[in-house]
Amino acid sequence: MKAYERLYNKTENEKYYNYIKDFVDMMIDSTGTIKGYKLESYNIDLVNSGKLLFNLYDKTKDEKYLKALKLLRSQLDGHPRTKSNGFWHKKIYPNQMWLDGLYMGEPFYARYTVEFENGENLDDIAHQFKLLHDKTLDKKTGLYFHAWDESKQMPWANKETGCAPNIWLRALGWYAMALVDVLDYMPKEHPKHQELVSYLNELAEAISNFQDESGTYGIKFQICKIEKGII
């Protein structure tokens, strides 16, 4: 849907806009209620699709889109957090942060706080990235382990670090995209802006070390994981 949004912005062809709007209107009724959404599940994955609502509200000023935006934003107010103030990935995964959770929650959070809250929560957003940078970075490779259990109680968690044992390619992509999307709304003069840029640049350089001669890096990366004992 975000791809269709960009096609619409590029071409101004209404069929792309209508496709997005028709989809969203199937999911949201006139009161702003989202079909199948349960706030009390506190699943950060459910926040991500809310990014479609910003442009629809800007264009139509239909209050149902604003109500749905506010509903998703309210989830973040009550969302369970680790003791170090990071969002749990889901209520059913206590004390756990996953790299993909940053993509699911932070771009929505960043745009919302900039457009409706004068950016007052940008520090909180930057803190989520800092936590997973500090807790899941593998200094041998410059890459990130997929998840972190602050309690270190999960069977997969390293008993010293709390990290998952695997470096997952797709999660690295989510982490990088989350940084790129959040930086669209993080003012350059903000104290945390350069910190986030440094995380992105460091990851881009680290990933390039695993790029295959063909231009991709999947096969070489998998072999390297085994050789280096990452999995």
Side-chain angles (χ1 to χ4, degrees), residues 82 95-102 127-150 156-158 160-168 171-172 175 179 199 202-203 230:
T82 66
N95 305 303
Q96 298 173 42
M97 295 184 72
W98 298 8
L99 292 181
D100 26 316
L102 293 176
H127 180 67
Q128 308 303 309
F129 286 98
K130 179 173 173 53
L131 272 176
L132 285 185
H133 174 272
D134 292 352
K135 300 298 184 180
T136 68
L137 178 65
D138 174 41
K139 294 182 180 179
K140 292 188 297 183
T141 63
L143 305 176
Y144 295 85
F145 293 106
H146 175 223
W148 171 60
D149 171 19
E150 187 180 53
W156 49 257
N158 183 294
E160 293 183 6
T161 66
C163 286
N166 298 323
I167 292 175
W168 186 25
L172 294 178
Y175 181 78
L179 282 166
Y199 296 163
E202 288 167 5
L203 180 58
I230 297 173

Side-chain angles (χ1 to χ4, degrees), residues 79-94:
H79 202 95
R81 295 187 182 226
T82 66
K83 291 181 180 179
S84 50
N85 212 30
F87 290 122
W88 292 7
H89 192 69
K90 300 180 184 180
K91 185 178 180 180
I92 61 172
Y93 298 151

Side-chain angles (χ1 to χ4, degrees), residues 8-41:
Y8 172 66
N9 292 338
K10 181 73 172 178
T11 66
E12 298 184 353
N13 188 326
E14 290 292 320
K15 71 179 181 181
Y16 299 123
Y17 169 78
N18 291 334
Y19 188 80
I20 298 166
K21 188 175 185 300
D22 287 348
F23 168 73
V24 173
D25 287 346
M26 282 195 303
M27 302 301 297
I28 298 175
D29 68 18
S30 60
T31 69
T33 300
I34 303 171
K35 184 178 180 180
Y37 173 74
K38 295 181 180 179
L39 183 148
E40 62 273 13
S41 295

Side-chain angles (χ1 to χ4, degrees), residues 4-223:
Y4 280 119
E5 193 174 78
R6 291 179 182 180
L7 275 171
Y8 172 66
N9 292 338
K10 181 73 172 178
T11 66
E12 298 184 353
N13 188 326
E14 290 292 320
K15 71 179 181 181
Y16 299 123
Y17 169 78
N18 291 334
Y19 188 80
I20 298 166
K21 188 175 185 300
D22 287 348
F23 168 73
V24 173
D25 287 346
M26 282 195 303
M27 302 301 297
I28 298 175
D29 68 18
S30 60
T31 69
T33 300
I34 303 171
K35 184 178 180 180
Y37 173 74
K38 295 181 180 179
L39 183 148
E40 62 273 13
S41 295
Y42 289 111
N43 179 350
I44 203 130
D45 290 342
L46 301 181
V47 174
N48 185 44
S49 295
K51 293 183 296 189
L52 295 171
L53 299 170
F54 291 103
N55 289 349
L56 286 173
Y57 177 64
D58 288 345
K59 187 175 176 68
T60 66
K61 297 305 178 185
D62 190 326
E63 286 295 308
K64 73 177 184 180
Y65 300 129
L66 181 59
K67 289 176 181 177
L69 279 166
K70 289 180 176 180
L71 174 62
L72 292 170
R73 174 65 184 86
S74 71
Q75 176 182 324
L76 298 178
D77 284 335
H79 202 95
R81 295 187 182 226
T82 66
K83 291 181 180 179
S84 50
N85 212 30
F87 290 122
W88 292 7
H89 192 69
K90 300 180 184 180
K91 185 178 180 180
I92 61 172
Y93 298 151
N95 305 303
Q96 298 173 42
M97 295 184 72
W98 298 8
L99 292 181
D100 26 316
L102 293 176
Y103 177 73
M104 301 303 171
E106 308 318 315
F108 172 91
Y109 193 10
R111 184 167 180 178
Y112 191 99
T113 197
V114 166
E115 294 191 4
F116 296 103
E117 301 170 338
N118 295 315
E120 65 183 34
N121 287 298
L122 288 172
D123 282 345
D124 187 29
I125 292 163
H127 180 67
Q128 308 303 309
F129 286 98
K130 179 173 173 53
L131 272 176
L132 285 185
H133 174 272
D134 292 352
K135 300 298 184 180
T136 68
L137 178 65
D138 174 41
K139 294 182 180 179
K140 292 188 297 183
T141 63
L143 305 176
Y144 295 85
F145 293 106
H146 175 223
W148 171 60
D149 171 19
E150 187 180 53
S151 71
K152 304 175 185 177
Q153 297 301 306
M154 292 302 295
W156 49 257
N158 183 294
K159 297 309 176 186
E160 293 183 6
T161 66
C163 286
N166 298 323
I167 292 175
W168 186 25
L169 201 59
R170 190 164 71 177
L172 294 178
W174 273 322
Y175 181 78
M177 288 191 297
L179 282 166
V180 169
D181 289 353
V182 164
L183 283 166
D184 282 343
Y185 301 100
M186 181 74 72
K188 290 185 177 180
E189 64 273 15
H190 192 279
K192 300 296 182 180
H193 178 273
Q194 193 53 43
E195 183 177 290
L196 298 187
V197 170
S198 71
Y199 296 163
L200 182 60
N201 288 340
E202 288 167 5
L203 180 58
E205 183 175 352
I207 287 176
S208 70
N209 293 328
F210 298 94
Q211 187 173 25
D212 190 78
E213 291 79 6
S214 67
T216 61
Y217 54 97
I219 295 173
K220 185 175 179 181
F221 182 78
Q222 294 292 340
I223 293 171

